[in-house]
Amino acid sequence: MPLYARLVRYGFRKHSTYVGAALAGAFTNSVFGVLRAYILIALWQARPGLAGYDIADAITYSFVTQAFIAPMQLFGGGLAIPERIRSGDIALDLVRPAPLQAWSFAEDAGRACYLFLVRGIPPMLVGAAVFGVVVPGDPGRWAAFMAGFTLAVVVSFGWRYLIALSVCWLIDDRGVAVLSMVLTTFFSGMMVPLHIFPGWLADLAMSLPWAAMVQLPTDLYLGKAAVMETLAFQAFWAAVLLALGALATRAIRHKVVIQGG
Protein backbone atom coordinates (compact mmCIF):
# COMPACT_ATOMS: atom_id res chain seq x y z
CA MET A 1 0.00 0.00 0.00
CA PRO A 2 1.45 3.45 -0.90
CA LEU A 3 2.79 5.46 2.02
CA TYR A 4 0.14 8.18 2.04
CA ALA A 5 -2.71 5.68 1.70
CA ARG A 6 -1.31 3.89 4.76
CA LEU A 7 -1.17 7.19 6.63
CA VAL A 8 -4.80 7.92 5.79
CA ARG A 9 -5.69 4.45 7.03
CA TYR A 10 -3.63 5.02 10.18
CA GLY A 11 -5.42 8.31 10.88
CA PHE A 12 -8.79 6.60 10.41
CA ARG A 13 -7.91 3.66 12.67
CA LYS A 14 -6.27 5.86 15.30
CA HIS A 15 -9.45 7.86 15.84
CA SER A 16 -11.73 4.83 15.51
CA THR A 17 -10.18 3.59 18.76
CA TYR A 18 -12.22 6.14 20.70
CA VAL A 19 -15.70 5.07 19.59
CA GLY A 20 -17.36 6.13 22.84
CA ALA A 21 -15.94 9.64 22.64
CA ALA A 22 -17.01 9.96 19.01
CA LEU A 23 -20.56 8.83 19.77
CA ALA A 24 -20.75 11.21 22.74
CA GLY A 25 -19.62 14.00 20.43
CA ALA A 26 -22.27 13.00 17.87
CA PHE A 27 -24.93 13.16 20.60
CA THR A 28 -23.74 16.61 21.69
CA ASN A 29 -23.66 17.89 18.13
CA SER A 30 -27.18 16.59 17.56
CA VAL A 31 -28.55 18.25 20.70
CA PHE A 32 -27.01 21.60 19.82
CA GLY A 33 -28.29 21.15 16.27
CA VAL A 34 -31.84 20.92 17.62
CA LEU A 35 -31.33 24.01 19.79
CA ARG A 36 -29.85 25.99 16.90
CA ALA A 37 -32.67 24.83 14.62
CA TYR A 38 -35.32 26.24 16.97
CA ILE A 39 -33.45 29.56 17.13
CA LEU A 40 -33.22 29.73 13.34
CA ILE A 41 -36.89 28.78 12.99
CA ALA A 42 -37.84 31.72 15.22
CA LEU A 43 -35.59 34.05 13.23
CA TRP A 44 -36.94 32.94 9.85
CA GLN A 45 -40.53 33.13 11.06
CA ALA A 46 -39.86 36.76 11.98
CA ARG A 47 -37.92 37.42 8.74
CA PRO A 48 -39.21 35.06 6.02
CA GLY A 49 -36.81 34.63 3.11
CA LEU A 50 -33.86 36.04 5.02
CA ALA A 51 -30.56 35.51 3.16
CA GLY A 52 -32.46 33.72 0.39
CA TYR A 53 -33.27 30.75 2.64
CA ASP A 54 -36.68 29.44 3.61
CA ILE A 55 -37.31 27.74 6.97
CA ALA A 56 -36.44 24.29 5.60
CA ASP A 57 -33.13 25.65 4.31
CA ALA A 58 -32.40 27.27 7.69
CA ILE A 59 -33.10 24.02 9.56
CA THR A 60 -30.92 22.08 7.14
CA TYR A 61 -28.19 24.69 7.54
CA SER A 62 -28.21 24.10 11.29
CA PHE A 63 -27.65 20.36 11.02
CA VAL A 64 -25.22 20.43 8.10
CA THR A 65 -22.98 22.88 9.95
CA GLN A 66 -23.20 20.78 13.11
CA ALA A 67 -22.07 17.82 11.01
CA PHE A 68 -19.02 19.83 9.91
CA ILE A 69 -17.69 20.54 13.41
CA ALA A 70 -15.65 17.36 13.85
CA PRO A 71 -14.41 16.70 10.30
CA MET A 72 -13.30 20.32 9.89
CA GLN A 73 -12.08 20.49 13.52
CA LEU A 74 -13.74 23.91 13.69
CA PHE A 75 -12.84 24.46 17.34
CA GLY A 76 -9.15 23.87 16.60
CA GLY A 77 -6.68 21.11 17.27
CA GLY A 78 -6.63 17.78 15.52
CA LEU A 79 -2.86 17.84 14.93
CA ALA A 80 -0.18 16.53 17.28
CA ILE A 81 2.45 18.95 16.00
CA PRO A 82 2.37 21.43 18.95
CA GLU A 83 3.08 18.68 21.47
CA ARG A 84 5.84 17.24 19.30
CA ILE A 85 7.46 20.66 18.97
CA ARG A 86 7.47 21.14 22.74
CA SER A 87 8.88 17.65 23.33
CA GLY A 88 11.47 17.93 20.57
CA ASP A 89 10.06 14.95 18.63
CA ILE A 90 9.48 17.31 15.72
CA ALA A 91 13.18 16.87 14.90
CA LEU A 92 12.44 13.26 13.98
CA ASP A 93 9.43 14.30 11.90
CA LEU A 94 11.56 16.68 9.85
CA VAL A 95 13.96 13.93 8.76
CA ARG A 96 11.32 11.40 7.76
CA PRO A 97 11.28 10.31 4.10
CA ALA A 98 8.00 12.18 3.57
CA PRO A 99 7.45 15.95 3.98
CA LEU A 100 5.96 16.92 7.36
CA GLN A 101 3.08 18.77 5.74
CA ALA A 102 2.07 15.89 3.44
CA TRP A 103 2.50 13.37 6.25
CA SER A 104 0.31 15.42 8.58
CA PHE A 105 -2.36 15.99 5.93
CA ALA A 106 -2.65 12.29 5.13
CA GLU A 107 -3.22 11.44 8.80
CA ASP A 108 -5.68 14.33 9.16
CA ALA A 109 -7.60 13.15 6.11
CA GLY A 110 -8.08 9.76 7.78
CA ARG A 111 -9.28 11.51 10.93
CA ALA A 112 -11.74 13.64 8.94
CA CYS A 113 -13.15 10.60 7.12
CA TYR A 114 -13.80 8.75 10.35
CA LEU A 115 -15.35 11.70 12.17
CA PHE A 116 -17.53 12.55 9.17
CA LEU A 117 -19.04 9.07 9.36
CA VAL A 118 -19.39 8.83 13.14
CA ARG A 119 -19.98 12.45 14.19
CA GLY A 120 -21.17 14.04 10.96
CA ILE A 121 -23.96 11.77 9.75
CA PRO A 122 -25.86 11.31 13.09
CA PRO A 123 -26.80 15.01 13.45
CA MET A 124 -28.20 14.95 9.91
CA LEU A 125 -30.27 11.86 10.73
CA VAL A 126 -31.58 13.52 13.90
CA GLY A 127 -32.47 16.66 11.95
CA ALA A 128 -34.28 14.60 9.34
CA ALA A 129 -36.22 12.69 12.02
CA VAL A 130 -37.18 15.68 14.18
CA PHE A 131 -37.71 18.45 11.62
CA GLY A 132 -37.12 17.13 8.13
CA VAL A 133 -34.15 18.45 6.16
CA VAL A 134 -33.51 19.33 2.54
CA VAL A 135 -32.00 16.39 0.66
CA PRO A 136 -30.47 17.10 -2.77
CA GLY A 137 -32.18 15.05 -5.44
CA ASP A 138 -29.73 15.86 -8.23
CA PRO A 139 -26.59 13.68 -8.43
CA GLY A 140 -24.73 16.71 -9.77
CA ARG A 141 -25.53 18.60 -6.59
CA TRP A 142 -24.24 15.73 -4.50
CA ALA A 143 -21.04 15.68 -6.53
CA ALA A 144 -20.61 19.45 -6.10
CA PHE A 145 -21.18 19.14 -2.36
CA MET A 146 -18.65 16.33 -1.94
CA ALA A 147 -16.07 18.30 -3.94
CA GLY A 148 -16.77 21.35 -1.78
CA PHE A 149 -16.60 19.28 1.40
CA THR A 150 -13.24 17.82 0.36
CA LEU A 151 -11.80 21.25 -0.38
CA ALA A 152 -13.18 22.50 2.95
CA VAL A 153 -11.23 19.77 4.75
CA VAL A 154 -8.06 20.86 2.92
CA VAL A 155 -8.63 24.53 3.82
CA SER A 156 -9.25 23.58 7.44
CA PHE A 157 -6.06 21.54 7.56
CA GLY A 158 -4.06 24.35 5.92
CA TRP A 159 -5.19 26.83 8.56
CA ARG A 160 -4.72 24.50 11.53
CA TYR A 161 -1.28 23.47 10.27
CA LEU A 162 -0.14 27.09 10.34
CA ILE A 163 -1.51 27.52 13.85
CA ALA A 164 0.30 24.34 14.95
CA LEU A 165 3.64 25.45 13.50
CA SER A 166 3.38 28.78 15.32
CA VAL A 167 4.46 26.92 18.48
CA CYS A 168 8.01 26.98 17.12
CA TRP A 169 8.03 30.72 17.76
CA LEU A 170 5.44 31.09 20.53
CA ILE A 171 6.19 27.97 22.64
CA ASP A 172 2.66 28.11 24.10
CA ASP A 173 -0.10 27.89 21.50
CA ARG A 174 -3.08 28.44 23.81
CA GLY A 175 -3.50 32.11 23.00
CA VAL A 176 -3.29 31.70 19.23
CA ALA A 177 -5.51 28.61 19.44
CA VAL A 178 -8.25 30.59 21.20
CA LEU A 179 -7.92 33.39 18.64
CA SER A 180 -8.16 30.84 15.85
CA MET A 181 -11.29 29.31 17.36
CA VAL A 182 -12.98 32.72 17.65
CA LEU A 183 -12.13 33.68 14.07
CA THR A 184 -13.17 30.30 12.70
CA THR A 185 -16.44 30.20 14.62
CA PHE A 186 -17.45 33.74 13.68
CA PHE A 187 -16.27 33.97 10.07
CA SER A 188 -16.96 30.41 8.88
CA GLY A 189 -20.73 30.56 9.17
CA MET A 190 -20.78 28.17 12.11
CA MET A 191 -22.85 30.53 14.25
CA VAL A 192 -25.24 31.95 11.63
CA PRO A 193 -25.19 32.12 7.83
CA LEU A 194 -22.72 34.75 6.68
CA HIS A 195 -25.32 36.06 4.24
CA ILE A 196 -27.23 37.73 7.07
CA PHE A 197 -24.23 39.84 8.10
CA PRO A 198 -24.72 43.51 7.21
CA GLY A 199 -23.20 44.92 3.98
CA TRP A 200 -19.43 45.24 4.15
CA LEU A 201 -19.10 42.66 6.94
CA ALA A 202 -20.81 40.01 4.82
CA ASP A 203 -18.55 40.85 1.86
CA LEU A 204 -15.47 40.65 4.10
CA ALA A 205 -16.53 37.36 5.70
CA MET A 206 -17.28 35.76 2.33
CA SER A 207 -13.82 36.68 1.04
CA LEU A 208 -11.90 35.06 3.91
CA PRO A 209 -10.72 31.44 4.04
CA TRP A 210 -13.03 30.48 6.91
CA ALA A 211 -16.07 30.85 4.64
CA ALA A 212 -14.61 28.03 2.52
CA MET A 213 -14.82 25.68 5.52
CA VAL A 214 -18.54 25.90 6.35
CA GLN A 215 -20.63 28.48 4.52
CA LEU A 216 -19.68 27.58 0.97
CA PRO A 217 -19.95 23.77 1.17
CA THR A 218 -23.29 24.20 2.94
CA ASP A 219 -24.50 26.50 0.17
CA LEU A 220 -23.42 23.85 -2.34
CA TYR A 221 -25.49 21.29 -0.43
CA LEU A 222 -28.52 23.60 -0.47
CA GLY A 223 -28.00 24.56 -4.11
CA LYS A 224 -27.56 28.23 -3.20
CA ALA A 225 -24.09 28.78 -4.72
CA ALA A 226 -22.62 28.79 -8.21
CA VAL A 227 -20.67 25.54 -8.35
CA MET A 228 -17.59 26.41 -10.40
CA GLU A 229 -17.04 29.82 -8.76
CA THR A 230 -17.43 28.33 -5.29
CA LEU A 231 -15.05 25.44 -5.92
CA ALA A 232 -12.52 27.83 -7.50
CA PHE A 233 -12.67 30.07 -4.42
CA GLN A 234 -12.13 27.11 -2.10
CA ALA A 235 -9.29 25.79 -4.25
CA PHE A 236 -7.65 29.23 -4.18
CA TRP A 237 -7.60 29.38 -0.39
CA ALA A 238 -6.50 25.74 -0.14
CA ALA A 239 -3.53 26.49 -2.41
CA VAL A 240 -2.64 29.68 -0.53
CA LEU A 241 -2.74 28.06 2.91
CA LEU A 242 -0.82 24.97 1.78
CA ALA A 243 1.82 27.19 0.17
CA LEU A 244 2.17 29.20 3.37
CA GLY A 245 2.40 25.93 5.30
CA ALA A 246 5.22 24.74 3.02
CA LEU A 247 7.11 28.00 3.61
CA ALA A 248 6.56 27.74 7.36
CA THR A 249 7.79 24.13 7.34
CA ARG A 250 10.94 25.26 5.58
CA ALA A 251 11.39 28.01 8.14
CA ILE A 252 11.10 25.72 11.17
CA ARG A 253 13.99 23.62 9.89
CA HIS A 254 16.12 26.60 10.90
CA LYS A 255 14.31 27.20 14.18
CA VAL A 256 13.34 24.22 16.26
CA VAL A 257 12.81 25.25 19.87
CA ILE A 258 12.48 22.60 22.59
CA GLN A 259 10.70 23.89 25.66
CA GLY A 260 13.01 23.82 28.65
CA GLY A 261 16.12 23.03 26.66
Side-chain angles (χ1 to χ4, degrees), residues 8-9 42 57 62 76 78 85 97 113 115 129 168 195 210 238 241 259:
V8 172
R9 182 186 178 191
D57 292 332
S62 172
I85 292 174
C113 290
L115 292 180
C168 273
H195 303 303
W210 299 289
L241 292 174
Q259 188 169 3

Side-chain angles (χ1 to χ4, degrees), residues 220 225-233:
L220 288 173
V227 175
M228 296 310 297
E229 290 85 347
T230 300
L231 295 179
F233 178 83

Side-chain angles (χ1 to χ4, degrees), residues 148-172:
F149 176 84
T150 302
L151 286 170
V153 171
V154 178
V155 173
S156 170
F157 167 78
W159 173 252
R160 288 181 291 112
Y161 184 76
L162 289 172
I163 296 299
L165 291 188
S166 70
V167 178
C168 273
W169 291 272
L170 301 176
I171 305 300
D172 190 336

Side-chain angles (χ1 to χ4, degrees), residues 75-77 159 163 166 170 172-184:
F75 298 149
W159 173 252
I163 296 299
S166 70
L170 301 176
D172 190 336
D173 65 328
R174 285 176 294 183
V176 71
V178 171
L179 177 61
S180 172
M181 182 181 68
V182 171
L183 291 173
T184 302

Side-chain angles (χ1 to χ4, degrees), residues 16-114:
S16 66
T17 304
Y18 307 103
V19 178
L23 293 177
F27 174 78
T28 302
N29 290 347
S30 300
V31 170
F32 277 95
V34 171
L35 296 177
R36 290 181 65 213
Y38 277 119
I39 293 171
L40 294 181
I41 288 171
L43 177 59
W44 258 261
Q45 286 178 338
R47 297 284 302 276
L50 182 64
Y53 294 176
D54 57 22
I55 289 182
D57 292 332
I59 292 171
T60 304
Y61 187 95
S62 172
F63 288 99
V64 171
T65 54
Q66 287 296 123
F68 283 173
I69 290 176
M72 308 300 176
Q73 206 72 34
L74 295 178
F75 298 149
L79 300 174
I81 293 174
E83 291 78 11
R84 296 185 69 80
I85 292 174
R86 284 190 287 266
S87 68
D89 292 336
I90 192 68
L92 298 176
D93 299 334
L94 293 173
V95 296
R96 281 174 173 167
L100 174 64
Q101 187 179 32
W103 185 291
S104 300
F105 175 69
E107 286 191 18
D108 196 62
R111 176 204 60 79
C113 290
Y114 174 74

